């Protein structure tokens, strides 16, 4: 992968830059020793690695501001980092860049049940918010698979989703306010404790901006009261096509399940071998469908869904009779990445979205590509919203295998765009899909996005080499 | 969303913006002008409207998306989705009575103003349901963002940036919205005779219940009377399958018994009451200025009380107490009182309707701190370098 040339004059001044950072932060907040920087050289996309110039761990917004002001003055690139769980290489360092890690900003500052919001620092984990409020029956809705580790600041950066987006939306739909620091080191409050701030929708623009525009230090999230209960069911079918038609039929009936997950045959087998969740191994496609409400409401909805599924000649229908049985149904799906990891030394997790009506065609084409390139693929899919997660299995010790996997992944994403979808539904562009952006966007589309980047960060110091293709005829991305 | 730049009428918009760009002529950007009374008046030498950009371009009910030209009347879109048992999630209001116009509002107008109805408190604003846009920036270039799928984080989210930008960054030409099934039934639990503080407490308890309340408004006696209620009312709406609405309204009434005996409105009465709240019917017929203030819900009653004391405001609250509709005299003193009360509550405000003389003379939305104001100016220039699109609509000089 092509990366921008490190700035030689920055590399040459490394000792002075580290010394300058030590003047701003306490001793333990600046890491410059190779061994101790090792954990920061990669993220959730470990195929790419690069040691940074240094790592800083600020504890307050003011420290972040002072660090950015200093690095801006020195012309040093900045890599914001949460827990480092990005699957698209969003936190991959550059040799001449300083990683600004948010893990020490991990305090919950305010919980307000009457106004249904919480103010948290960027380094609080996603699950940490729910853990803090669930004793009172509340939760924070977006639930990415990495929620035990990933941090809310990173969730804002990537506009993270999860399995319950169809009902509860993604990160952008669950925020009220942000405290951010500009590359010049200015602290700005966006939004607040209220809905729909006047002026341009900075909250919407900054969410999912992948660290290109500002560094997020505090977040005001909406918290929701949980439902009385939730229950899942399994429905197994003879083909991907039939399962896809069943999904359409459920949604057309007016039911929006809180979760609607799809697994193809390879995914079913991998997950069952790993989790022993009781998935039928003779099925070509499996749906996990979850509904919420009182027990009577769950019975009503699951009864209607069962009736709809019955029209599609299911191999099996299994409705959970208890919370334990629901958990068992989810266990296989939630362990999917680990399950695939067990049968293949390495895998790439792709993340395109397609119009749901294109599902049978896309899965058939992915199967053909898999046969042609000789790499296996398991498909897991948020069926209600069309967000595909093909897991491409390869061997990282074999460079040819990795190259084939990358090409296979890119071909899948091109296919997603071709059928009316997009490159990434929830993982972000990062470095991984950077060079595919022209597949989805015209030169004018990308130029407009670059001009927004220019408006916030004219020197292109914030998280460079991500999101925007390097090869484009726009000198700033390369020459900054 | 159509891929080729062939959407009927779009080429005309591109040509018109290019001509304005070449000559540096400021243009008023609008749909049918039904909300042109909002914010600041625009001084323009020409007008670019979206009236040639009509028609539904995409509707896939099972994929929950509808796309249409920006000039398509909202009523046409609402009818198309209703025909398939669906609805526009953010419940866009119809302010024609408030603005004294018969012009039908357009899809582009609703998105450009990001106006949402009572359901916003539970299901998000209009901007949360904009999945894709095509738009012409101030250079006359077609810019696309998002698409026709429900989950998309590819690149910077220009869909949200253009939503609520009042035509100052680009001319929207085509928009794809996410839609949802229209619930089988609606029901409303009504607590009568509560003062504003207790009323908002009841709404907070309702919104904090497990029953998925999707509308929460408080009307003081005068506003309540316009909807046919005898006393002040706090209303909590539930929309769902019939069995769920019956069950949940009963549970809510029982669990919130500390707020007094509640009445339950049936489906027809709920539809009528929430349409009136959505369209700010309690303020219809008011001659002066109208403001919208957004605060944390628990601060709503204090703001209402302050403005009642300051100029005898007529008011009511939606969004659980977080949205205040305020009517008062169209004077700079009243406007100053609104700004002070909203700022003190840590919220935001908008001069929603006022005579041109007032809205041209005062800030109509809060001025931003210096660092953010610089970004606003830079982003405006990033879309519209010559400042020709709706100049001065949001801020003087922008």
């Amino acid at each position: 992968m092509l990366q921008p040339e490190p700035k030689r004059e920055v590399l040459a001044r490394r000792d002075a830059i580290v010394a300058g950072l030590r003047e701003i932060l306490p001793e333990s907040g600046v890491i410059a020793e190779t061994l101790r920087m090792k954990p920061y050289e990669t993220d959730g996309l470990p195929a790419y690695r690069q040691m940074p110039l240094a790592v800083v761990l600020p504890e307050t917004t003011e420290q972040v501001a002072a660090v950015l002001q200093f690095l801006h003055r020195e012309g040093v690139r900045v890599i914001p980092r949460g827990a480092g769980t990005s699957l698209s290489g969003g936190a991959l360092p550059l040799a001449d860049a300083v990683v600004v890690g948010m893990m020490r900003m991990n305090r919950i500052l305010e919980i307000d049940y009457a106004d249904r919001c919480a103010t948290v620092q960027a380094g609080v984990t996603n699950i940490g918010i729910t853990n803090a409020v669930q004793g009172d029956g509340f939760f924070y809705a977006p639930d990415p698979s990495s929620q035990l580790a990933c941090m809310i600041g990173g969730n804002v950066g990537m506009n993270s989703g999860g399995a319950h987006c169809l009902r509860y939306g993604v990160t952008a739909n669950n925020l009220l306010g942000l405290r951010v620091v500009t590359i010049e080191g200015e602290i700005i409050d966006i939004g607040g404790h209220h809905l729909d701030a006047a002026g341009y929708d900075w909250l919407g623009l900054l969410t999912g901006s992948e660290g290109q525009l500002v560094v997020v230090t505090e977040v005001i999230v909406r918290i929701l009261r949980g439902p009385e209960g939730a229950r899942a069911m399994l429905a197994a079918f003879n083909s991907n096509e039939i399962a896809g038609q069943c999904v359409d039929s459920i949604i057309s009936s007016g039911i929006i399940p809180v979760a609607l997950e799809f697994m193809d045959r390879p995914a079913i087998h991998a997950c069952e071998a790993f989790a022993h969740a009781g998935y039928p191994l003779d099925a070509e496609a499996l749906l996990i469908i979850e509904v919420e409400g009182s027990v009577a409401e769950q019975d009503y909805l699951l009864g209607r869904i069962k009736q709809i599924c019955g029209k599609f000649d299911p191999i099996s229908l299994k409705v959970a009779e208890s919370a334990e049985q629901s958990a068992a149904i989810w266990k296989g799906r939630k362990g999917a990445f680990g399950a695939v990891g067990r049968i293949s030394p390495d895998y790439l997790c792709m993340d395109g979205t397609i119009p749901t009506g294109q599902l049978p065609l896309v899965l058939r084409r992915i199967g053909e590509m898999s046969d042609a390139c000789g790499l296996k693929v398991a498909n897991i899919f948020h069926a209600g919203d069309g967000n595909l997660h093909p897991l491409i299995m390869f061997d990282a010790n074999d460079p040819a295998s990795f190259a084939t996997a990358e090409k296979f992944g890119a071909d899948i994403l091109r296919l997603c765009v071709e059928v009316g979808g997009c490159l990434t539904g929830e993982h972000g562009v990062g470095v991984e899909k950077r060079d595919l952006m022209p597949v989805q966007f015209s030169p004018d589309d990308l130029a407009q996005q670059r001009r927004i980047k220019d408006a916030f960060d004219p020197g292109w110091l914030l998280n460079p080499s991500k999101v925007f293709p390097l090869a484009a005829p726009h000198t700033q991305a390369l020459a900054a | 969303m159509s891929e080729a730049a062939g959407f009927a009428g779009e080429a005309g918009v591109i040509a018109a913006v290019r001509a304005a760009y070449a000559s540096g002529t400021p243009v008023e950007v609008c749909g049918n002008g039904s909300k042109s009374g909002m914010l600041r008046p625009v001084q323009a030498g020409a007008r670019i409207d979206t009236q040639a950009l009509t028609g539904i371009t995409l509707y896939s009910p099972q994929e929950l998306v509808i796309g249409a030209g920006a000039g398509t009347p909202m009523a046409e879109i609402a009818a198309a989705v209703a025909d398939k048992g669906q609805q526009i999630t953010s419940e866009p209001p119809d302010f024609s009575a408030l603005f004294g116009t018969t012009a039908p509002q357009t899809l582009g107008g609703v998105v450009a103003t990001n106006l949402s109805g009572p359901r916003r408190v539970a299901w998000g604003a209009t901007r949360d349901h904009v999945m894709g846009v095509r738009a012409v920036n101030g250079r006359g270039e077609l810019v696309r963002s998002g698409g026709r799928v429900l989950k998309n984080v590819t690149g910077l989210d220009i869909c949200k940036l253009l939503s609520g930008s009042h035509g100052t960054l680009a001319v929207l030409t085509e928009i794809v919205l996410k839609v949802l099934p229209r619930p089988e039934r609606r029901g409303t639990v009504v607590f009568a005779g509560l003062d504003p503080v207790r009323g908002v407490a009841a709404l907070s308890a309702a919104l904090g219940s497990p029953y998925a309340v999707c509308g929460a408004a408080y009307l003081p006696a005068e506003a309540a009377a316009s909807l046919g209620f005898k006393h002040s009312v706090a209303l909590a709406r539930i929309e769902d399958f019939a069995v769920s609405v019956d069950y949940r309204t009963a549970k809510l009434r029982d669990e919130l018994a500390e707020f007094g005996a509640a009445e339950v409105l049936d489906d027809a009465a709920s539809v009528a009451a929430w349409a009136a709240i959505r369209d700010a019917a309690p303020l219809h017929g008011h001659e002066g200025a109208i403001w919208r203030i957004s605060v944390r819900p628990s601060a709503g009653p204090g703001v209402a009380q302050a403005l009642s004391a300051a100029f005898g405001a007529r008011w009511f609250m939606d969004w659980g107490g977080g949205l205040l509709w305020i009517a008062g005299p169209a004077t700079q003193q009243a406007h100053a009182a609104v700004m002070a009360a909203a700022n003190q509550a840590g919220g935001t405000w908008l001069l929603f309707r006022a005579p041109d003389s007032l809205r041209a003379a005062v800030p109509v939305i809060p001025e931003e701190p210096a660092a953010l104001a610089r970004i606003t100016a830079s982003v405006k220039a990033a879309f519209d370098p010559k400042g020709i699109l709706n100049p001065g609509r949001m801020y003087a000089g922008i």
Side-chain angles (χ1 to χ4, degrees):
Chain A
M1 185 190 51
L2 183 70
Q3 285 288 68
E5 276 295 308
K7 295 181 182 178
R8 286 205 193 134
E9 77 284 6
V10 168
L11 296 179
R13 282 184 291 122
R14 179 171 185 269
D15 290 349
I17 291 164
V18 169
L21 291 168
R22 289 197 200 282
E23 280 177 28
I24 297 168
L25 295 173
E27 177 66 27
S28 69
V30 181
I31 301 172
E33 304 78 27
T34 305
L35 197 63
R36 289 183 58 221
M37 291 200 298
K38 191 80 179 156
Y40 301 92
E41 69 171 353
T42 188
D43 57 13
L45 186 62
Y48 301 128
R49 290 169 191 274
Q50 172 61 55
M51 290 295 269
L53 191 78
V55 176
V56 295
L57 304 174
E59 292 168 37
T60 65
T61 298
E62 289 68 27
Q63 286 180 356
V64 173
V67 165
L68 291 189
Q69 196 174 33
F70 170 72
L71 294 175
H72 178 247
R73 195 171 64 225
E74 298 289 322
V76 180
R77 292 164 167 157
V78 175
I79 311 290
R81 182 182 174 103
T85 55
S86 171
L87 293 168
S88 59
L92 180 71
L94 292 166
D96 60 354
V98 171
V99 171
V100 179
M102 301 306 294
M103 62 274 283
R104 289 189 177 173
M105 294 191 64
N106 59 1
R107 285 185 306 132
I108 292 176
L109 303 175
E110 183 200 27
I111 295 170
D112 182 341
Y113 292 115
D115 292 335
R116 301 168 298 286
C117 59
T119 306
V120 304
Q121 290 183 318
V124 172
T125 59
N126 174 291
I127 197 75
I129 303 175
T130 291
N131 286 344
V133 298
Q134 70 180 358
D136 294 282
F138 282 73
F139 71 113
Y140 172 64
D143 59 341
S145 295
S146 57
Q147 70 178 157
L148 295 180
C150 66
M151 294 171 182
I152 188 68
N155 288 182
V156 173
M158 300 315 240
N159 195 10
S160 305
H164 294 81
C165 301
L166 196 57
R167 169 65 181 84
Y168 292 109
V170 295
T171 303
N173 313 118
N174 287 277
L175 300 182
L176 291 173
L178 298 175
R179 178 163 290 176
V180 302
V181 182
T182 66
I183 188 62
E184 287 92 1
E186 287 177 299
I187 299 167
I188 300 178
D189 285 332
I190 303 293
H193 292 84
H194 50 276
L195 297 169
D196 296 354
Y200 292 133
D201 187 358
W202 302 125
L203 196 58
L205 177 69
L206 297 180
T207 305
S209 64
E210 304 201 21
Q212 294 295 311
L213 306 182
V214 294
V215 176
V216 175
T217 62
E218 282 179 23
V219 186
I220 306 177
V221 299
R222 303 185 79 184
I223 52 173
L224 303 176
R225 177 67 188 267
E228 285 189 85
R231 205 143 41 106
M233 67 174 281
L234 273 182
F237 299 93
N238 273 317
S239 77
N240 292 328
E241 194 144 23
I242 294 172
Q245 286 166 2
C246 183
V247 168
D248 280 355
S249 197
I250 292 168
I251 290 182
S252 297
S253 79
I255 299 173
I256 300 292
V258 287
L260 188 43
E261 297 286 301
F262 186 116
M263 299 163 83
D264 72 356
R265 186 181 182 91
I268 297 166
H269 280 250
C271 292
E272 179 60 19
F274 181 68
H276 308 294
Y279 294 168
L281 295 174
D282 52 345
E284 288 298 325
L286 188 68
L287 298 178
I288 298 174
I289 307 161
E290 186 173 77
V291 300
E292 288 181 346
S294 67
V295 173
E297 290 176 299
Q298 295 166 16
D299 285 339
Y300 172 77
L301 289 172
L302 291 171
R304 284 191 52 165
I305 293 169
K306 236 173 115 171
Q307 211 174 20
I308 293 167
C309 291
K311 294 179 194 157
F312 295 91
D313 197 19
I315 293 175
S316 71
L317 287 178
K318 191 160 88 185
V319 175
E321 299 299 333
S322 63
E324 292 71 33
Q325 287 185 15
S326 278
I329 286 175
W330 273 110
K331 193 176 161 203
R333 166 63 184 90
K334 290 194 170 166
F337 289 10
V340 170
R342 228 175 59 140
I343 57 173
S344 169
D346 302 281
Y347 63 84
L348 283 180
C349 176
M350 307 314 290
D351 173 47
T353 307
I354 57 169
T356 56
Q358 301 289 338
L359 178 65
L361 168 77
V362 168
L363 290 185
R364 194 167 62 242
R365 292 271 298 275
I366 290 175
E368 289 162 10
M369 292 179 202
S370 165
D371 291 344
C373 76
L375 292 182
K376 284 196 277 190
V377 62
N379 285 292
I380 292 162
F381 181 47
H382 302 304
D385 51 34
N387 188 193
L388 284 176
H389 289 315
L391 301 171
I392 300 171
M393 296 170 237
F394 72 101
D395 180 356
N397 292 322
D398 173 3
S401 172
F402 177 56
T404 307
E406 275 200 307
K407 183 177 178 308
F408 184 10
D411 288 343
I412 291 174
L413 297 183
R414 281 194 190 89
L415 174 62
C416 291
V417 175
E418 192 186 306
V419 300
C422 66
L423 296 172
T424 174
E426 58 185 3
H427 295 174
V429 177
V431 286
E432 187 201 25
K433 295 173 277 275
R434 175 189 77 188
D435 296 317
L436 288 170
M437 288 289 272
V439 175
Q440 184 175 332
F441 293 108
S442 74
D444 281 352
D445 298 339
L446 280 174
Q448 185 63 69
Q449 293 187 37
R450 283 200 179 87
R451 285 197 290 265
I452 296 171
K453 162 80 169 164
D454 282 337
F456 281 83
D457 177 23
W460 285 65
L461 293 177
L462 277 170
N463 218 13
S465 86
K466 320 274 168 68
V467 183
F468 300 102
L470 293 190
H474 190 278
T475 49
Q476 270 158 311
L478 270 171
Chain B
M1 171 153 295
S2 41
E3 185 62 33
F7 184 68
E10 192 174 68
V13 171
I14 291 172
V17 177
R18 285 190 180 162
Y21 178 72
S23 62
T25 307
V27 290
E28 182 186 7
V29 178
C30 64
N32 286 335
S34 68
K35 290 180 283 292
S36 59
M38 272 184 81
L39 304 186
R40 305 182 74 251
V42 171
Q43 304 291 329
R47 172 179 152 140
I48 295 178
D49 65 46
T50 57
Q51 287 170 7
L53 304 168
T54 55
I56 291 166
T57 51
L58 157 78
Y59 183 28
S60 177
Q62 70 281 8
E63 291 171 351
L64 304 174
V65 286
I66 188 163
T72 311
M74 207 60 207
E76 184 182 331
I77 294 165
V81 299
D83 194 46
K84 298 287 183 189
Q86 297 186 329
Q87 66 184 10
I88 306 296
T89 314
S90 65
E91 204 172 6
D94 177 350
F95 292 129
S96 49
L98 217 53
F99 284 113
T101 173
T102 54
Q105 69 175 341
T106 62
L107 172 62
V110 167
V111 171
T113 52
N114 188 30
L115 289 169
S116 315
R119 204 178 289 118
R120 195 271 173 262
V121 73
W123 283 93
T126 293
R127 61 83 121 152
D128 291 294
H129 304 280
V130 176
M131 298 294 110
V133 297
R134 291 168 70 94
V136 179
N137 68 15
R139 300 162 183 257
E141 297 162 345
L142 181 74
V143 174
R144 299 168 311 145
S145 179
R148 57 160 295 185
V149 291
L150 302 186
K151 227 162 145 192
N152 185 347
V153 296
T154 322
L156 297 179
D157 193 344
I158 291 176
C159 295
K160 289 204 178 63
L161 182 59
L162 295 187
S163 301
S165 68
H166 296 272
T168 60
L169 299 176
V171 185
L172 291 163
T173 58
E174 189 185 1
I175 296 152
V176 176
L177 287 184
K178 177 184 178 182
V179 294
L180 283 172
R182 177 175 158 83
E184 192 173 68
R185 182 175 294 176
R186 285 136 290 272
T188 303
V189 182
V190 184
F191 298 91
L194 301 175
D195 67 30
V197 171
R198 286 286 287 166
V200 167
L203 297 179
S204 284
L207 287 164
S209 79
Y211 307 120
V213 167
C214 68
Y218 176 85
L219 312 181
E222 187 187 357
S226 73
L227 269 70
F229 295 104
K230 289 196 188 71
H231 307 282
S232 71
V233 284
L235 306 108
R237 176 175 64 176
I238 290 170
E239 304 176 315
D240 214 312
F241 288 101
V243 289
S244 280
V245 171
D246 293 347
Y247 165 76
R248 291 176 180 213
T249 49
K251 289 288 276 190
L252 205 55
R253 189 184 53 198
D254 295 348
E255 290 184 13
L256 271 59
E258 62 168 301
F259 295 101
E263 176 196 355
V264 176
L265 303 185
D266 67 10
D267 188 73
S270 289
V271 169
W274 289 99
I277 292 165
R278 180 193 69 196
D279 298 343
L283 305 187
H284 290 177
H286 171 73
E287 295 292 328
I290 292 175
W291 295 264
R292 272 163 65 106
I293 299 175
S294 181
V295 293
R296 63 198 298 167
S298 56
V303 172
Q305 189 185 21
L307 297 178
S308 297
F311 54 79
R314 278 171 66 184
W315 60 275
F316 71 95
M317 295 187 271
D318 195 358
W319 301 353
L323 174 67
L324 290 112
W325 280 98
I326 304 284
T331 62
Q332 297 213 15
Q333 292 87 329
H335 187 62
V338 167
M339 292 193 289
N343 292 343
Q344 202 192 346
T348 189
W349 47 268
L350 185 146
L351 177 57
F352 190 70
R353 189 198 75 186
D356 284 3
S357 56
L358 179 60
R359 61 197 186 107
V362 298
V364 294
I365 55 176
E367 281 166 344
E368 294 175 316
L372 194 55
R374 278 198 300 277
I375 291 172
T376 291
S378 305
V379 169
K380 164 76 173 170
F383 280 84
D384 178 19
K386 290 193 179 174
I388 57 173
L389 301 178
N390 272 355
R393 185 115 181 109
M394 296 173 74
Y395 305 96
I398 297 280

